[in-house]
Amino acid sequence: MDKTTAAVHGPGPGLIVGVTGLAKNVFGLVLSRMELAALELSEARNHAMALMAVAALAILSAWFALAYGTVMIVALAWESMGWRILMIMFLVFLVLTVGLLLKAVSMLKEGKLRLPETMNELKNDREMLL
C-alpha cells in the first residue's frame, strides 16, 4: 500500500474508536456487576426478613413461656425457699439470655447476609484492571 492509498482511505482504527470500544466494555461490565449485586441483595434481603420473622415469633413465644413458667415455679417454691427462688430464676434467665445472644451472633456469622459472588467478581475485575 502506498501513501496515496492510505491518504484516500484514511488511517486505521484510531484512538477514538479504541476509547469508545473500551467505554462500551466498561459500561457493560459495570451493568452486569450491578445486576449481580441487585440479585444477591434481594436474596440477602429475603434471608434477613425470614430471620427477623423467626426471631420475632421466637421472642413472643419465649415471653409467654417464661412468664407462665416463672409464675408457676415461684408459686410452687415460695413456701420452702422464699425470696431465694427469685434469685435462682434471675440467674436462670440471665444464662438463657447469654446463650440466645451467642446463638444469634453465630447465625449472623454463617454469612447468609453477605454478597459472596458480587464481592468475588468485583475482586476479579479489580485484579484484571490493575
Side-chain angles (χ1 to χ4, degrees):
M1 183 189 302
D2 59 359
K3 291 181 184 182
T4 56
T5 310
V8 172
H9 294 293
L15 179 64
I16 300 299
V17 174
V19 169
T20 304
L22 179 64
K24 286 180 184 178
N25 288 337
V26 168
F27 179 72
L29 182 67
V30 168
L31 186 62
S32 69
R33 295 308 180 247
M34 289 176 60
E35 290 172 352
L36 179 63
L39 178 66
E40 284 192 330
L41 282 173
S42 69
E43 289 177 8
R45 183 191 69 214
N46 291 342
H47 287 296
M49 289 176 65
L51 178 65
M52 289 189 324
V54 168
L57 289 173
I59 289 170
L60 183 63
S61 177
W63 274 106
F64 280 110
L66 291 176
Y68 286 114
T70 302
V71 169
M72 182 186 67
I73 291 171
V74 169
L76 292 174
W78 189 262
E79 298 241 352
S80 63
M81 298 180 78
W83 65 270
R84 290 183 296 268
I85 188 64
L86 296 176
M87 179 60 77
I88 292 170
M89 295 304 294
F90 166 74
L91 293 174
V92 167
F93 289 132
L94 183 65
V95 168
L96 181 66
T97 301
V98 169
L100 289 171
L101 286 174
L102 292 175
K103 174 65 176 172
V105 168
S106 72
M107 287 174 69
L108 290 174
K109 286 185 179 180
E110 285 180 11
K112 288 186 178 179
L113 300 178
R114 294 181 19 212
L115 307 173
E117 292 298 320
T118 300
M119 298 310 284
N120 190 28
E121 288 297 323
L122 289 175
K123 183 178 128 189
N124 290 341
D125 294 344
R126 185 184 69 224
E127 289 174 359
M128 182 176 63
L129 291 174
L130 297 177

